[in-house]
Each structure stands twice: as structure tokens, then as C-alpha cells.
Amino acid sequence: MDISSNNQHTMLRCSKIFARPLNLPITLASPRPSIPVFQSLWRRKLSSVSFAPGSTMAANHHAEYDWIEDVEQLEKYQPGGYHPIIVGDVLHDRYHIVDKLGFGGYSTVWLARDARLERYVALKVNISESIPREAKVLKALSAPPPSSSPVHPGYGLVPVLLDEFEVQGFNGKHTCYTVPPAQCNLRDAAFSRLFPLDVARALSYRVAQAVAYTHSQGYIHGDIHLSNILVKLPSSFDKLSIKQFYEKYGEPEMIPITRCDGAPLPPNVPATATLPLFLGKYAEKFVLSDAHPLLSDFGEAFSPASEIRLGQDCHTPAAFRAPEAKFELQIPLAYPSDIWSLATAIWEIMGIKSIFSAEYMHEDEVTAQQIDVLGPMPSEWWQRWEGRPQFFDDHGDPTESYKRNKWPPLEERFEICIQKWRRKFVGSEIEEDEKAAFLDLMRRMLSFRPEERPTAEEVLMSDWMVKWALPDCERS
């Protein structure tokens, strides 16, 4: 995105815009863009933070607030919860709050101007008394490599931890850290939309590089999917003053917070709620120079050398989760679990639809889809799959009730998710030789048995990556 040009990619601060079909033009009616809150840039899960003894997050809320769409749960502005922040605040005598980027159950994330370095940062403020896992991982991954070692090509494809500090507020002590801001995540950019083929290839290659780098540093990401892959902003973004930023993207949209009982707000609740800002653009508008992703959200990441993470503790959404997390509950997760998730991400980058349903559904339904698409699972898993009778009989044939919902095999799924849409909206399709190489890679990355999957480095050396993805990556 050229920030010196007119803002042609602004959108309504309303999640309804993402329901528009791919082939319909978008009429822009507002200078302020937004993202759906369920696809927030910084989603946090319970496993991503640990709570120190004495944490005061209350189970029952004593005050209720009038509901405001697309903002954090206001009742969490209480001791043990969110730190109250409004646009214009200055944190750590350094970070001027410019707008909101997103939020999750355990943090809010703000666009801030670093007055010391005169640059923009994404400032994450955690709920009080929490010890976030992510900052420790980012610190390790963003550390400069030793001068005696070659720089891994994936270095720079994960967020750089810029600063860490604490703020003391009405609701307790909050850990905070800053990283460079990003345009958007790929889920928001690609929702019901299609990346140009060269862009999709380049993005796929760089995401694989990011995973390879993460693994080379001894970490498993643990939650790879498009919502956790961001797109870098151009360095020229920092040249905008706050005034120029508002002239280009519009003023922050803030809504007064009111209590349901009409009582005045307590001092630990902000006077206004800020709607999240979207700095990105839609997939079809991407060009090769935009194909610079960041693998983000390391709240589920861990080092298998020092921490055991069992399958039962995997929190990756079912559509992107490796099957051993379901069938080997007491076995530690390993690097191949990331390879499975990486395959589902690459598939979705190349097409419109995910290889397995990303709609909310029971994990047994996803398992049935995996068998439909990929073929039989290991016999020991098949035997102990308690949900199997809903979908298959003892011979592996679909039940009468499941026949109408049965998913097609891999090659047909490729036609439905990728080829059909490229023919319809781009007027071309992936050629047969590339298709064969791509599907071969997908089959290997989506092997049911983890030990049969390639490593991230082997993914980068596959035919499809070397002959099709790498050349476009080098041109970007």
C-alpha cells in the first residue's frame, strides 16, 4: 500500500462489508475502515497467559454497561481486567495513543506513536496480573543472529519485540509490549476474495520461511492460520505525523460508555470505547510488493526442548489442527503439528475456501472431512474414534445420514476451493503441472502420521515451492 497516494482501500467500520461477494464492486461510504472483532489482530486465549497468585479477575461482574458492537467486553474493566485507555493517552512517558488496532479476551492493542523514535508501534496492553508467554518467545525470535552465523531467510518474517514495560492503573499492574504495526491479517484481506496467483505463491513461500525460521530457533508456533499471519506496512508509514495519519485514515471513532443503571462511570472504566481500525486492503488489490507477511500471535508457541505440550492442550481451531492432537491426547506435540497447519494456510492463500470447514462445528465433523479428503486414517485412530459411528460404518462406508454431507477427495476439493474461483474471477486457472506439484506437496504435508510429513525446510525444497512459489517470491 502506497501511503502517499489517495486512500483507495478505505472501508466502513462495520464487519458487514466482509459479506460482500467477490465479484461485486464495493461502494466506499466512510473514510474509516474496520475488521470483524472475531478476527482481531491480537486474539488471546486462556493458554496464552498465566495468572499470578492473587489475580483479582472477578467471576461475577458488579456493573453492567450498555452494549457497544465491535468493542471489547466492557465488564472486564475491573480489578484484574483491562487497563482503561482512550485516544490521546500517553503510556510510559513515550507512547501517544493514536487509535485502536484490536482486542482479545486478555488484551487490547493500540496504534501508538513512539515520541522517542518518531515511529508508529502496535502497543499491546495485557489484563492485570497476567504473565504473557508471547513476549518471551518474540524476544528470542527477534534477537539479532550471531555475526558468525548466516542470517536465516525467515528472520524478519516474525514480529520484532521493540519494548517491554508495565503500567500501574486502577485495575492493577499491566504488562505491555510493542512491535511494529501491520496492515491487516490475511483472513481479513482474503475473506471471500482471491489473491492474484503470483501474490499467493510469494505469500505461501514466505510464510513457510517464517515457520522454518521459528523451528530453527527451537520453537513450535502452535496456532498457524490466516488470522495469525499479518501483512507488513511500508516503512514510509512512519513518515506520517499524527495529524497526517488522521487526514488520511480519518479520526478515531469513539462511542461513550454508559452503565445500564444510569450510574456514573467508575474511574477504572474509560469514558469512551474505540472501534478497531483496519489499515489493510482486499486480496484482489494486492500486488507482489505487498507479499511480505509476518507470522504473528505466538501466545501458543513453546519450545519442545524445555516444555511438554500434550495433544489435549492444543488450542488451534479444529479446521487447522493436526489430527494427532485429537487422537494422541497424552503424546507431546512436535514440529510436524505446525506443518499440518501450514498446509491448511497455504491452501487457503491459494484459493478462497479452506480445505476443511472453518465454520464452527464439532471436531468429529472435521475428522470425517479429513478422511473424505485425504483417505483412511491410521487404523489405531480409527478403532478408538468414538464419534465414528455418526459418519462411517465398520467397513469405512459413509452412513446414510452422512452421505449427503460427504466431502470430495483432495483433487476434487482443489477444483472446488481453488480452480473454480480462479476461472470465474481471474479468467485463468492453475496449469496441470503446477497443480500436480501443489497437490503432491499438500498430500505430504497433510499425512495423518506426523513422522511422514516433511520438515519446514523440506517444504521449501519441494517442487512446487522451488519451481513456482520461489520465483514469484524473488520478484516481490
Short mmCIF file of all heavy atoms in Angstrom, two decimals, residues 247-297:
data_model
loop_
_atom_site.label_atom_id
_atom_site.label_comp_id
_atom_site.label_asym_id
_atom_site.label_seq_id
_atom_site.Cartn_x
_atom_site.Cartn_y
_atom_site.Cartn_z
N GLU A 247 -5.75 12.69 8.71
CA GLU A 247 -6.23 13.22 7.44
C GLU A 247 -6.39 12.10 6.41
O GLU A 247 -7.29 12.14 5.58
CB GLU A 247 -5.24 14.28 6.91
CG GLU A 247 -5.28 15.57 7.70
CD GLU A 247 -4.19 16.55 7.26
OE1 GLU A 247 -3.29 16.13 6.47
OE2 GLU A 247 -4.22 17.71 7.70
N LYS A 248 -5.52 11.11 6.48
CA LYS A 248 -5.56 10.02 5.51
C LYS A 248 -6.58 8.95 5.88
O LYS A 248 -7.34 8.47 5.03
CB LYS A 248 -4.17 9.39 5.39
CG LYS A 248 -4.09 8.29 4.34
CD LYS A 248 -2.66 7.84 4.15
CE LYS A 248 -2.58 6.78 3.05
NZ LYS A 248 -3.00 7.26 1.73
N TYR A 249 -6.61 8.56 7.16
CA TYR A 249 -7.44 7.44 7.59
C TYR A 249 -8.69 7.85 8.37
O TYR A 249 -9.54 7.01 8.65
CB TYR A 249 -6.62 6.47 8.43
CG TYR A 249 -5.52 5.79 7.66
CD1 TYR A 249 -4.20 6.23 7.74
CD2 TYR A 249 -5.81 4.73 6.81
CE1 TYR A 249 -3.19 5.61 7.02
CE2 TYR A 249 -4.80 4.10 6.08
CZ TYR A 249 -3.50 4.55 6.19
OH TYR A 249 -2.51 3.95 5.47
N GLY A 250 -8.79 9.13 8.72
CA GLY A 250 -9.94 9.58 9.47
C GLY A 250 -9.69 9.57 10.96
O GLY A 250 -8.78 8.91 11.46
N GLU A 251 -10.50 10.32 11.67
CA GLU A 251 -10.38 10.39 13.14
C GLU A 251 -10.84 9.08 13.76
O GLU A 251 -11.67 8.36 13.19
CB GLU A 251 -11.24 11.53 13.67
CG GLU A 251 -10.84 12.92 13.19
CD GLU A 251 -9.62 13.46 13.91
OE1 GLU A 251 -9.33 12.98 15.03
OE2 GLU A 251 -8.95 14.36 13.36
N PRO A 252 -10.32 8.74 14.93
CA PRO A 252 -10.81 7.54 15.63
C PRO A 252 -12.30 7.66 15.91
O PRO A 252 -12.81 8.75 16.18
CB PRO A 252 -10.01 7.55 16.93
CG PRO A 252 -8.82 8.40 16.66
CD PRO A 252 -9.25 9.43 15.67
N GLU A 253 -12.98 6.55 15.82
CA GLU A 253 -14.41 6.54 16.12
C GLU A 253 -14.62 6.05 17.55
O GLU A 253 -14.37 4.87 17.84
CB GLU A 253 -15.16 5.65 15.13
CG GLU A 253 -16.67 5.76 15.30
CD GLU A 253 -17.42 5.11 14.16
OE1 GLU A 253 -16.81 4.75 13.15
OE2 GLU A 253 -18.66 4.98 14.28
N MET A 254 -15.04 6.95 18.41
CA MET A 254 -15.19 6.63 19.82
C MET A 254 -16.65 6.80 20.24
O MET A 254 -17.32 7.75 19.81
CB MET A 254 -14.28 7.54 20.66
CG MET A 254 -12.80 7.32 20.37
SD MET A 254 -11.71 8.44 21.25
CE MET A 254 -11.96 9.95 20.32
N ILE A 255 -17.12 5.87 21.05
CA ILE A 255 -18.51 5.85 21.49
C ILE A 255 -18.55 5.96 23.01
O ILE A 255 -17.83 5.21 23.70
CB ILE A 255 -19.21 4.56 21.02
CG1 ILE A 255 -19.14 4.45 19.50
CG2 ILE A 255 -20.65 4.52 21.51
CD1 ILE A 255 -19.68 3.14 18.95
N PRO A 256 -19.35 6.86 23.57
CA PRO A 256 -19.41 6.99 25.03
C PRO A 256 -19.87 5.68 25.69
O PRO A 256 -20.77 5.00 25.19
CB PRO A 256 -20.42 8.11 25.25
CG PRO A 256 -20.43 8.88 23.96
CD PRO A 256 -20.18 7.88 22.88
N ILE A 257 -19.26 5.34 26.79
CA ILE A 257 -19.65 4.17 27.58
C ILE A 257 -20.63 4.62 28.65
O ILE A 257 -20.39 5.60 29.35
CB ILE A 257 -18.41 3.50 28.23
CG1 ILE A 257 -17.48 2.97 27.14
CG2 ILE A 257 -18.83 2.38 29.17
CD1 ILE A 257 -16.17 2.40 27.67
N THR A 258 -21.73 3.89 28.77
CA THR A 258 -22.73 4.21 29.78
C THR A 258 -23.12 2.95 30.54
O THR A 258 -23.12 1.85 29.99
CB THR A 258 -24.00 4.82 29.14
OG1 THR A 258 -24.48 3.94 28.12
CG2 THR A 258 -23.69 6.17 28.53
N ARG A 259 -23.44 3.11 31.80
CA ARG A 259 -23.89 1.99 32.62
C ARG A 259 -25.37 1.73 32.40
O ARG A 259 -26.16 2.66 32.16
CB ARG A 259 -23.63 2.27 34.10
CG ARG A 259 -22.18 2.12 34.50
CD ARG A 259 -21.93 2.46 35.95
NE ARG A 259 -22.78 1.72 36.87
CZ ARG A 259 -22.36 1.23 38.05
NH1 ARG A 259 -21.08 1.40 38.42
NH2 ARG A 259 -23.18 0.60 38.85
N CYS A 260 -25.75 0.48 32.52
CA CYS A 260 -27.16 0.13 32.33
C CYS A 260 -28.05 0.77 33.38
O CYS A 260 -29.22 1.08 33.11
CB CYS A 260 -27.34 -1.39 32.34
SG CYS A 260 -26.56 -2.24 30.96
N ASP A 261 -27.51 0.94 34.58
CA ASP A 261 -28.32 1.50 35.65
C ASP A 261 -28.27 3.02 35.70
O ASP A 261 -28.86 3.65 36.57
CB ASP A 261 -27.90 0.92 37.01
CG ASP A 261 -26.43 1.20 37.34
OD1 ASP A 261 -25.77 1.98 36.61
OD2 ASP A 261 -25.93 0.65 38.34
N GLY A 262 -27.56 3.62 34.73
CA GLY A 262 -27.51 5.07 34.66
C GLY A 262 -26.55 5.72 35.63
O GLY A 262 -26.39 6.94 35.62
N ALA A 263 -25.89 4.95 36.45
CA ALA A 263 -24.95 5.49 37.42
C ALA A 263 -23.71 6.02 36.71
O ALA A 263 -23.40 5.60 35.58
CB ALA A 263 -24.56 4.42 38.43
N PRO A 264 -22.98 6.93 37.35
CA PRO A 264 -21.76 7.43 36.71
C PRO A 264 -20.70 6.34 36.59
O PRO A 264 -20.69 5.38 37.36
CB PRO A 264 -21.31 8.55 37.66
CG PRO A 264 -21.97 8.23 38.98
CD PRO A 264 -23.27 7.58 38.64
N LEU A 265 -19.81 6.50 35.63
CA LEU A 265 -18.75 5.51 35.43
C LEU A 265 -17.74 5.58 36.56
O LEU A 265 -17.36 6.68 37.00
CB LEU A 265 -18.03 5.77 34.10
CG LEU A 265 -18.81 5.58 32.81
CD1 LEU A 265 -17.91 5.91 31.61
CD2 LEU A 265 -19.32 4.16 32.68
N PRO A 266 -17.26 4.43 37.01
CA PRO A 266 -16.17 4.44 37.99
C PRO A 266 -14.86 4.85 37.31
O PRO A 266 -14.76 4.79 36.07
CB PRO A 266 -16.12 2.99 38.48
CG PRO A 266 -16.68 2.19 37.36
CD PRO A 266 -17.71 3.06 36.70
N PRO A 267 -13.84 5.22 38.06
CA PRO A 267 -12.59 5.69 37.44
C PRO A 267 -11.80 4.60 36.73
O PRO A 267 -10.89 4.92 35.96
CB PRO A 267 -11.81 6.25 38.63
CG PRO A 267 -12.37 5.54 39.83
CD PRO A 267 -13.82 5.34 39.53
N ASN A 268 -12.14 3.31 36.95
CA ASN A 268 -11.38 2.23 36.29
C ASN A 268 -12.00 1.81 34.96
O ASN A 268 -11.62 0.79 34.40
CB ASN A 268 -11.25 1.02 37.22
CG ASN A 268 -12.60 0.39 37.55
OD1 ASN A 268 -13.63 1.04 37.43
ND2 ASN A 268 -12.58 -0.86 37.97
N VAL A 269 -12.94 2.61 34.45
CA VAL A 269 -13.58 2.36 33.15
C VAL A 269 -13.35 3.57 32.27
O VAL A 269 -13.55 4.71 32.71
CB VAL A 269 -15.09 2.09 33.31
CG1 VAL A 269 -15.75 1.88 31.96
CG2 VAL A 269 -15.33 0.89 34.21
N PRO A 270 -12.91 3.40 31.01
CA PRO A 270 -12.69 4.57 30.14
C PRO A 270 -14.01 5.24 29.81
O PRO A 270 -15.08 4.62 29.80
CB PRO A 270 -12.05 3.96 28.89
CG PRO A 270 -12.52 2.54 28.87
CD PRO A 270 -12.62 2.12 30.32
N ALA A 271 -13.95 6.52 29.52
CA ALA A 271 -15.16 7.27 29.20
C ALA A 271 -15.72 6.87 27.84
O ALA A 271 -16.93 6.96 27.62
CB ALA A 271 -14.86 8.77 29.22
N THR A 272 -14.86 6.41 26.94
CA THR A 272 -15.30 6.04 25.60
C THR A 272 -14.70 4.70 25.19
O THR A 272 -13.64 4.30 25.69
CB THR A 272 -14.88 7.10 24.56
OG1 THR A 272 -13.46 7.23 24.57
CG2 THR A 272 -15.53 8.44 24.85
N ALA A 273 -15.40 4.01 24.29
CA ALA A 273 -14.89 2.80 23.65
C ALA A 273 -14.49 3.15 22.22
O ALA A 273 -15.23 3.87 21.53
CB ALA A 273 -15.94 1.70 23.66
N THR A 274 -13.34 2.66 21.77
CA THR A 274 -12.84 2.97 20.43
C THR A 274 -13.01 1.76 19.52
O THR A 274 -12.62 0.65 19.87
CB THR A 274 -11.35 3.35 20.50
OG1 THR A 274 -11.17 4.42 21.44
CG2 THR A 274 -10.84 3.79 19.12
N LEU A 275 -13.60 1.99 18.35
CA LEU A 275 -13.77 0.91 17.39
C LEU A 275 -12.43 0.60 16.70
O LEU A 275 -11.67 1.53 16.40
CB LEU A 275 -14.81 1.28 16.34
CG LEU A 275 -16.22 1.57 16.85
CD1 LEU A 275 -17.16 1.80 15.66
CD2 LEU A 275 -16.74 0.44 17.71
N PRO A 276 -12.13 -0.68 16.44
CA PRO A 276 -10.84 -1.03 15.84
C PRO A 276 -10.70 -0.50 14.41
O PRO A 276 -11.65 -0.42 13.64
CB PRO A 276 -10.85 -2.56 15.85
CG PRO A 276 -11.84 -2.94 16.89
CD PRO A 276 -12.90 -1.88 16.83
N LEU A 277 -9.47 -0.13 14.10
CA LEU A 277 -9.11 0.39 12.79
C LEU A 277 -8.51 -0.71 11.93
O LEU A 277 -7.82 -1.60 12.42
CB LEU A 277 -8.07 1.50 12.98
CG LEU A 277 -7.35 2.03 11.74
CD1 LEU A 277 -8.31 2.82 10.85
CD2 LEU A 277 -6.18 2.93 12.17
N PHE A 278 -8.78 -0.67 10.64
CA PHE A 278 -8.22 -1.61 9.66
C PHE A 278 -7.34 -0.82 8.71
O PHE A 278 -7.79 0.13 8.08
CB PHE A 278 -9.36 -2.30 8.92
CG PHE A 278 -8.93 -3.28 7.85
CD1 PHE A 278 -8.55 -4.56 8.18
CD2 PHE A 278 -8.94 -2.91 6.51
CE1 PHE A 278 -8.18 -5.47 7.19
CE2 PHE A 278 -8.58 -3.81 5.52
CZ PHE A 278 -8.20 -5.09 5.86
N LEU A 279 -6.06 -1.20 8.60
CA LEU A 279 -5.12 -0.47 7.77
C LEU A 279 -4.83 -1.16 6.45
O LEU A 279 -3.98 -0.70 5.69
CB LEU A 279 -3.80 -0.28 8.53
CG LEU A 279 -3.86 0.63 9.76
CD1 LEU A 279 -2.54 0.56 10.52
CD2 LEU A 279 -4.16 2.06 9.36
N GLY A 280 -5.50 -2.27 6.17
CA GLY A 280 -5.16 -3.08 5.02
C GLY A 280 -6.01 -2.83 3.80
O GLY A 280 -6.64 -1.79 3.64
N LYS A 281 -6.02 -3.83 2.92
CA LYS A 281 -6.82 -3.78 1.71
C LYS A 281 -7.21 -5.20 1.34
O LYS A 281 -6.71 -6.17 1.91
CB LYS A 281 -6.05 -3.11 0.57
CG LYS A 281 -4.70 -3.76 0.23
CD LYS A 281 -3.97 -2.93 -0.81
CE LYS A 281 -2.59 -3.46 -1.11
NZ LYS A 281 -1.87 -2.62 -2.08
N TYR A 282 -8.10 -5.32 0.36
CA TYR A 282 -8.61 -6.62 -0.01
C TYR A 282 -7.64 -7.39 -0.89
O TYR A 282 -6.80 -6.81 -1.58
CB TYR A 282 -9.94 -6.48 -0.72
CG TYR A 282 -11.08 -6.06 0.17
CD1 TYR A 282 -11.85 -4.94 -0.12
CD2 TYR A 282 -11.38 -6.80 1.32
CE1 TYR A 282 -12.90 -4.56 0.70
CE2 TYR A 282 -12.43 -6.42 2.14
CZ TYR A 282 -13.19 -5.30 1.83
OH TYR A 282 -14.22 -4.94 2.64
N ALA A 283 -7.78 -8.72 -0.87
CA ALA A 283 -6.82 -9.60 -1.53
C ALA A 283 -6.63 -9.28 -3.01
O ALA A 283 -5.51 -9.30 -3.52
CB ALA A 283 -7.28 -11.06 -1.37
N GLU A 284 -7.72 -8.99 -3.72
CA GLU A 284 -7.59 -8.77 -5.16
C GLU A 284 -6.82 -7.49 -5.49
O GLU A 284 -6.36 -7.31 -6.62
CB GLU A 284 -8.97 -8.73 -5.83
CG GLU A 284 -9.83 -7.53 -5.45
CD GLU A 284 -10.72 -7.79 -4.25
OE1 GLU A 284 -10.41 -8.70 -3.46
OE2 GLU A 284 -11.74 -7.08 -4.11
N LYS A 285 -6.62 -6.62 -4.50
CA LYS A 285 -5.87 -5.39 -4.71
C LYS A 285 -4.38 -5.56 -4.42
O LYS A 285 -3.58 -4.65 -4.65
CB LYS A 285 -6.43 -4.27 -3.81
CG LYS A 285 -7.88 -3.92 -4.08
CD LYS A 285 -8.08 -3.33 -5.47
CE LYS A 285 -9.52 -2.87 -5.67
NZ LYS A 285 -9.73 -2.30 -7.02
N PHE A 286 -3.99 -6.73 -3.89
CA PHE A 286 -2.58 -6.96 -3.56
C PHE A 286 -1.76 -7.05 -4.84
O PHE A 286 -2.20 -7.60 -5.86
CB PHE A 286 -2.43 -8.26 -2.78
CG PHE A 286 -2.59 -8.12 -1.29
CD1 PHE A 286 -3.76 -7.62 -0.75
CD2 PHE A 286 -1.57 -8.50 -0.43
CE1 PHE A 286 -3.92 -7.50 0.62
CE2 PHE A 286 -1.72 -8.38 0.94
CZ PHE A 286 -2.89 -7.88 1.47
N VAL A 287 -0.53 -6.54 -4.76
CA VAL A 287 0.47 -6.73 -5.81
C VAL A 287 1.68 -7.40 -5.16
O VAL A 287 1.75 -7.55 -3.93
CB VAL A 287 0.85 -5.38 -6.45
CG1 VAL A 287 -0.33 -4.79 -7.19
CG2 VAL A 287 1.39 -4.40 -5.41
N LEU A 288 2.65 -7.79 -5.97
CA LEU A 288 3.78 -8.54 -5.44
C LEU A 288 4.52 -7.80 -4.33
O LEU A 288 5.01 -8.41 -3.38
CB LEU A 288 4.76 -8.89 -6.57
CG LEU A 288 4.51 -10.21 -7.29
CD1 LEU A 288 5.51 -10.39 -8.41
CD2 LEU A 288 4.57 -11.39 -6.32
N SER A 289 4.57 -6.49 -4.42
CA SER A 289 5.28 -5.73 -3.38
C SER A 289 4.56 -5.79 -2.03
O SER A 289 5.16 -5.44 -1.00
CB SER A 289 5.44 -4.27 -3.81
OG SER A 289 4.17 -3.67 -4.04
N ASP A 290 3.31 -6.25 -2.01
CA ASP A 290 2.58 -6.42 -0.74
C ASP A 290 2.83 -7.77 -0.10
O ASP A 290 2.42 -8.00 1.04
CB ASP A 290 1.07 -6.28 -0.98
CG ASP A 290 0.66 -4.91 -1.44
OD1 ASP A 290 1.12 -3.92 -0.83
OD2 ASP A 290 -0.11 -4.81 -2.42
N ALA A 291 3.50 -8.67 -0.82
CA ALA A 291 3.63 -10.05 -0.35
C ALA A 291 4.75 -10.21 0.67
O ALA A 291 5.71 -10.95 0.48
CB ALA A 291 3.84 -10.99 -1.53
N HIS A 292 4.60 -9.48 1.78
CA HIS A 292 5.59 -9.53 2.85
C HIS A 292 4.86 -9.79 4.17
O HIS A 292 4.49 -8.86 4.87
CB HIS A 292 6.39 -8.22 2.90
CG HIS A 292 7.25 -8.01 1.69
ND1 HIS A 292 8.51 -8.56 1.56
CD2 HIS A 292 7.01 -7.35 0.53
CE1 HIS A 292 9.02 -8.23 0.40
NE2 HIS A 292 8.13 -7.50 -0.26
N PRO A 293 4.64 -11.07 4.47
CA PRO A 293 3.85 -11.41 5.66
C PRO A 293 4.69 -11.45 6.94
O PRO A 293 5.93 -11.45 6.90
CB PRO A 293 3.34 -12.82 5.32
CG PRO A 293 4.46 -13.40 4.50
CD PRO A 293 5.02 -12.25 3.69
N LEU A 294 3.99 -11.44 8.06
CA LEU A 294 4.59 -11.66 9.37
C LEU A 294 3.81 -12.77 10.05
O LEU A 294 2.59 -12.67 10.20
CB LEU A 294 4.51 -10.39 10.22
CG LEU A 294 5.45 -9.23 9.93
CD1 LEU A 294 5.02 -8.00 10.73
CD2 LEU A 294 6.88 -9.61 10.28
N LEU A 295 4.48 -13.82 10.45
CA LEU A 295 3.85 -14.86 11.25
C LEU A 295 3.73 -14.31 12.67
O LEU A 295 4.74 -13.99 13.30
CB LEU A 295 4.68 -16.13 11.23
CG LEU A 295 4.14 -17.33 12.03
CD1 LEU A 295 2.79 -17.78 11.49
CD2 LEU A 295 5.14 -18.47 12.02
N SER A 296 2.52 -14.18 13.17
CA SER A 296 2.32 -13.47 14.44
C SER A 296 1.57 -14.34 15.43
O SER A 296 1.31 -15.52 15.19
CB SER A 296 1.55 -12.17 14.19
OG SER A 296 0.20 -12.45 13.84
N ASP A 297 1.21 -13.74 16.55
CA ASP A 297 0.44 -14.37 17.61
C ASP A 297 1.13 -15.63 18.12
O ASP A 297 0.71 -16.75 17.85
CB ASP A 297 -0.98 -14.68 17.16
CG ASP A 297 -1.92 -14.85 18.35
OD1 ASP A 297 -1.44 -15.17 19.45
OD2 ASP A 297 -3.14 -14.67 18.17
#
